[in-house]
Amino acid sequence: MIPKILITGCNGQVGFELKRSLSFIGEVIALDRSSFDLSNPDSIRENIRRIQPSIILNPAAYTAVDKAESDANMAESVNSFAPRIIGEEARKISALVIHYSTDYVFDGTKIAPYTETDSVNPLGVYGRTKLEGEIALAESGAKHLILRTSWVYGAHGKNFIKTILRLAASREELRIVADQFGAPTGAALLADASTHITARYLRDGSGNFPFGLYHLAAAGETSWHGFAQYIVAKATAAGLKLQASPDRILPIPTTEYPTPAARPANSRLDTSKFRAAFGLQTPDWTHGVDNVLDGLLEQ
Ligand SMILES: NC(=O)c1ccc[n+]([C@@H]2O[C@H](COP(=O)([O-])OP(=O)(O)OC[C@H]3O[C@@H](n4cnc5c(N)ncnc54)[C@H](OP(=O)(O)O)[C@@H]3O)[C@@H](O)[C@H]2O)c1
């Protein structure tokens, strides 16, 4: 029988790519906010009871990091409470839940990349509510995987790559934060990895499946400044006419770019547990950025 795979937030960066990637291995039911509203417990329960999926992937989230500071109730509904309800419903029908979380559960004070056993200490409402969602899902008793990732971009949706291309087209100089470090991670990487994991689960069953919490991000690291310079250099080399040249992408400290929510200085995630458990490699961060840039530049 073809397995039913339910995807939430299908118009988000990761949701969009999951819909593409998972359609190879099952019947995908991909729903957006209008039909599967994570702020509405009845909507969550009704959908899962009606669809009876074998697997639920939940990339939907309240992701507006700064707005969350003044909209904590909504961020809690979507990020903290919804994963518990999804987990409770999934447990009843023995469905696997694959849930996505964030490097922002950490305060960024560690020198080395973060492992799954490191202490959490979110700096803002977004990170706190995402952490609460992780805990709620784990406590629900559902079979689950929680994939923490960082600095997500994709061909679909709003993200840093598109913002930098837009700004560099109209300004001669950009000033970008250079003291926060992480790995830009493509929505396509997350979707393809999730599809491999799902295929393994469907093939092997629950018996030896390594459920639990994992860090999953591209390999290597850069700063937001390094990321911006890379984007502008690639786009310029590809012939795109930009006002700003790579050497006019200037590094600034976080203190010169204050935001409502503080960000961790160290967003680097150690992915060795994920790679060992699933036998997968994580490509360098530039690999996925090149793919998305090639697509955007063709347009
Ligand atoms: N973006 C990052 O840099 C980043 C970094 C680390 C971890 N993550 C995590 O990775 C996952 C995927 O992120 P992403 O970049 O794909 O996010 P995204 O592009 O912002 O997409 C989030 C999706 O969630 C949907 N959503 C918001 N509120 C909802 C609600 N009440 N009910 C149903 N859907 C709702 C949004 O719907 P609309 O389209 O209607 O707004 C959107 O489609 C999230 O769990 C996020 O926390 C992201």
Side-chain angles (χ1 to χ4, degrees), residues 9-15 32-33 36-39 58-63 74 78 100-103 126 130 149-153 158 190:
C10 69
N11 290 331
Q13 299 190 90
V14 175
D32 65 11
R33 186 203 295 252
F36 192 117
D37 181 356
L38 269 74
S39 68
N58 183 40
Y62 189 111
T63 55
M74 183 53 84
V78 177
Y100 301 85
S101 192
T102 172
D103 51 308
Y126 168 73
K130 290 295 292 183
T149 189
S150 64
W151 295 19
V152 177
Y153 63 85
K158 282 188 243 164
L190 295 168

Side-chain angles (χ1 to χ4, degrees), residues 105-256:
V105 298
F106 297 114
D107 63 16
T109 53
K110 189 181 175 188
I111 303 299
Y114 281 97
T115 68
E116 290 80 354
T117 53
D118 280 324
S119 304
V120 289
N121 183 29
L123 298 174
V125 170
Y126 168 73
R128 170 177 66 76
T129 57
K130 290 295 292 183
L131 176 61
E132 288 167 354
E134 290 183 3
I135 295 167
L137 175 60
E139 286 178 352
S140 73
K143 292 180 282 186
H144 67 273
L145 278 174
I146 297 168
L147 304 176
R148 281 186 190 144
T149 189
S150 64
W151 295 19
V152 177
Y153 63 85
H156 181 87
K158 282 188 243 164
N159 58 53
F160 187 78
I161 296 182
K162 292 180 185 174
T163 302
I164 291 298
L165 288 177
R166 179 170 47 78
L167 293 176
S170 59
R171 299 187 195 170
E172 285 181 0
E173 190 174 278
L174 303 185
R175 297 158 63 77
I176 309 289
V177 169
D179 54 3
Q180 293 171 24
F181 298 91
T185 300
L189 180 156
L190 295 168
D192 291 346
S194 301
T195 301
H196 275 286
I197 294 168
T198 304
R200 170 168 160 184
Y201 172 78
L202 290 170
R203 192 184 60 233
D204 298 350
S206 295
N208 289 320
F209 192 80
F211 299 105
L213 172 66
Y214 292 92
H215 289 177
L216 172 57
E221 63 180 78
T222 186
S223 64
W224 290 112
H225 170 259
F227 189 11
Q229 222 169 21
Y230 187 84
I231 295 163
V232 171
K234 283 285 295 188
T236 305
L240 194 68
K241 291 263 173 292
L242 296 173
Q243 296 294 317
S245 56
D247 60 348
R248 300 294 297 278
I249 312 298
L250 305 182
I252 58 165
T254 299
T255 48
E256 282 186 30

